[in-house]
Amino acid sequence: MTITEIKRPQQLSRLRRLALAAQGLLQNQAYGRGLAGAREAINHLGYVQIDTISVVERAHHHVIHSRVPGFEPHMLNQLLINKDIFEYWSHAAAFLPITDFRFSLPYKNAIKSGQTHWFRSPDKKLMGELLARIRSDGPLRSRDVGTSTIKRAGWWDWKPAKKALEQLYMQGDLMVSDRDGFQKTYDLTERVLPSNVNLKMPSMEEFAAHLVDQQLRCHGFASLKGLTYLRRNAQLRKAVNALVNERLAQGDLERVKVSSGDIFILERGALERPLPRLKERMLILSPFDNSVIQRERLRALFQYDYQLECYVPEAKRQYGYFCLPLLYRDAFIGRMDCKVHRKTSHLEIKNLYFEPHAFDENRVVTAFVEAIVQFCHFQKSDSVALNAVQPEHLTQRLRSALKSLG
């Protein structure tokens, strides 16, 4: 089976455009607007990662904001209440399409049967008590389990009870029915699920087909490793490899090789399809954005070496605690370390880095300022300050432009 080598700049640009278009990052309204647009975005992307870091607006809101005009953070919880999405584990905690619910069953079953451990020694007695309370009294908020270390009627020590709730949730007995920020409300799975949801356990072959189809849909193409990103199930990886080889042999898929040596799989003819035109637009993305979360792919395709440094000791950080990737046209050309001061509605840009690139400097500056206007609106920030810029010669020009924003 032949492999097409991507050598010319035009070929690489087209591959990048395919990836970004599949992620909904080149179009103005790839999925529509507002609540309906948010629902369609999650259906297309397959998941949106939930994250607790709040230096800026949280990742699950940020990812949707980058793709859906008119999105407001409360809409995700509305989709949860409407049962359009559900909360569970993908490669991390995530919101997922309710139509994909059956593909969460293998992991839940593995945890419940003890094949996989969430907690090594779950307290089954406490789990039974909590399950009985929810069954008789209705949904239970995580804060309602109490903080007292003395067990009373209907109350438990928070830490063991929290673990018990999470175990029941991860093994599928409970679901999150509502959220108030990061306070979850748990209810019995049968009371949360819509009646029309498919509950049939997928075969390994069905699961493999689901992953391959999903990854090709939302990324445009994928490496073999990327198809099962952070999934440790050896049988699933084997089934995915077999399916890919079968589709390659049938001519439904083809392979391309980029300069790094990485090989990607895509639907035959995908690179010849009409693709959105590139715009003079910059997007400020979340570190957990679906388009950047696979760091090896990001490096191979965009030559962009990115690491989220909040997990790195401060002395070893190169760019800052929470740098946001900057996407301009079809290239990642910088990163921005920033913090929202919510009490004063102020956005502080601690460090702004632009990497060497071939784009017109004036257009990049204009696109950045326009992106900051949108970003401030999303962050509910009325003012913005810029502390440091690389390269330094852009500092005064950017400060003057940002000062005019108020």
Side-chain angles (χ1 to χ4, degrees), residues 3-32:
I3 301 176
T4 302
E5 292 200 34
I6 302 296
K7 294 181 177 180
R8 291 177 292 146
Q10 297 93 328
Q11 289 177 305
L12 180 60
S13 178
R14 192 155 187 84
L15 196 63
R16 288 175 168 181
R17 281 169 61 197
L18 176 60
L20 295 170
Q23 279 285 305
L25 293 174
L26 295 184
Q27 310 90 314
N28 290 331
Q29 295 186 41
Y31 313 110

Side-chain angles (χ1 to χ4, degrees), residues 52-344:
T52 59
I53 299 173
S54 59
V55 175
V56 296
E57 184 60 71
R58 298 184 195 275
H60 40 290
H61 299 145
H62 193 164
V63 169
I64 304 297
H65 160 78
S66 298
R67 294 162 172 80
V68 180
F71 171 76
E72 296 290 341
H74 70 85
M75 292 177 181
L76 269 182
N77 198 51
Q78 189 60 53
L79 290 176
L80 189 65
I81 293 170
N82 292 352
K83 303 180 181 181
D84 292 314
I85 61 176
F86 73 104
E87 186 174 328
Y88 194 61
W89 200 259
S90 179
H91 68 268
F95 291 117
L96 303 112
I98 196 68
T99 51
D100 289 350
F101 182 81
R102 67 187 293 239
F103 296 104
S104 71
L105 297 177
Y107 192 42
K108 290 172 179 173
N109 186 62
I111 292 173
K112 193 164 189 173
S113 65
Q115 298 171 43
T116 299
H117 296 287
W118 187 251
F119 294 114
R120 279 284 170 185
S121 301
D123 187 335
K124 293 187 177 180
K125 180 175 181 295
L126 181 53
M127 288 163 58
E129 291 174 357
L130 285 165
L131 206 55
R133 172 175 168 172
I134 293 170
R135 184 171 286 111
S136 63
D137 297 350
L140 180 68
R141 295 177 300 177
S142 53
R143 69 172 74 125
D144 290 339
V145 296
T147 56
S148 171
T149 57
I150 302 173
K151 181 176 175 181
R152 310 195 297 273
W155 293 85
W156 296 267
D157 175 42
W158 187 88
K159 191 172 182 179
K162 174 67 173 173
K163 288 177 68 174
L165 282 173
E166 284 293 306
Q167 180 74 21
L168 287 165
Y169 160 71
M170 288 303 300
Q171 69 182 36
D173 294 297
L174 298 179
M175 288 182 68
V176 175
S177 60
D178 195 2
R179 262 181 174 265
D180 181 9
F182 272 82
Q183 287 292 332
K184 301 175 186 177
T185 298
Y186 296 93
D187 201 356
L188 300 178
T189 293
E190 60 262 32
R191 293 203 296 233
V192 175
L193 277 179
S195 59
N196 61 342
V197 169
N198 187 344
L199 297 178
K200 184 180 178 182
M201 180 72 71
S203 67
M204 201 59 72
E205 291 72 24
E206 287 177 314
F207 204 166
H210 167 71
L211 280 181
V212 171
D213 293 342
Q214 179 196 72
Q215 291 298 299
L216 294 182
R217 180 187 73 235
C218 70
H219 284 301
F221 51 87
S223 65
L224 267 178
K225 184 177 181 180
L227 288 170
T228 54
Y229 178 65
L230 293 186
R231 295 181 185 269
R232 298 186 179 91
N233 188 322
Q235 284 185 306
L236 180 60
R237 290 199 298 269
K238 184 178 179 180
V240 165
N241 289 355
L243 179 61
V244 167
N245 287 332
E246 180 185 332
R247 291 186 182 182
L248 283 168
Q250 292 172 345
D252 297 329
L253 300 179
E254 59 181 318
R255 295 183 293 177
V256 297
K257 184 177 181 180
V258 296
S259 60
S260 64
D262 290 77
I263 296 173
F264 294 106
I265 301 141
L266 63 162
E267 291 179 356
R268 181 165 296 281
L271 282 173
E272 283 70 56
R273 295 173 189 162
L275 293 170
R277 298 174 65 178
L278 296 174
K279 301 180 179 68
E280 298 296 324
R281 181 175 73 158
M282 184 174 293
L283 291 176
I284 302 167
L285 298 178
S286 167
F288 300 98
D289 195 277
N290 299 49
S291 66
V292 303
I293 201 66
Q294 294 187 34
R295 312 298 195 210
E296 292 180 14
R297 171 192 169 94
L298 188 65
R299 187 163 49 248
L301 183 59
F302 294 95
Q303 290 78 59
Y304 184 65
D305 194 6
Y306 178 75
Q307 180 182 20
L308 180 57
E309 294 183 340
C310 63
Y311 304 120
V312 175
E314 186 172 1
K316 295 184 178 181
R317 289 175 194 152
Q318 183 178 0
Y319 297 106
Y321 178 80
F322 201 70
C323 274
L324 311 182
L326 303 179
L327 173 67
Y328 176 69
R329 291 176 62 86
D330 66 345
F332 288 89
I333 66 167
R335 57 201 85 199
M336 179 176 75
D337 184 36
C338 61
K339 177 180 175 63
V340 174
H341 299 273
R342 291 182 175 83
K343 289 184 179 179
T344 56

Side-chain angles (χ1 to χ4, degrees), residues 140 160 233 237 315 342 349 367 369 374 382 389 398 405:
L140 180 68
N233 188 322
R237 290 199 298 269
R342 291 182 175 83
I349 303 174
V369 173
Q374 296 297 320
D382 301 325
V389 182
L398 282 164
L405 301 180

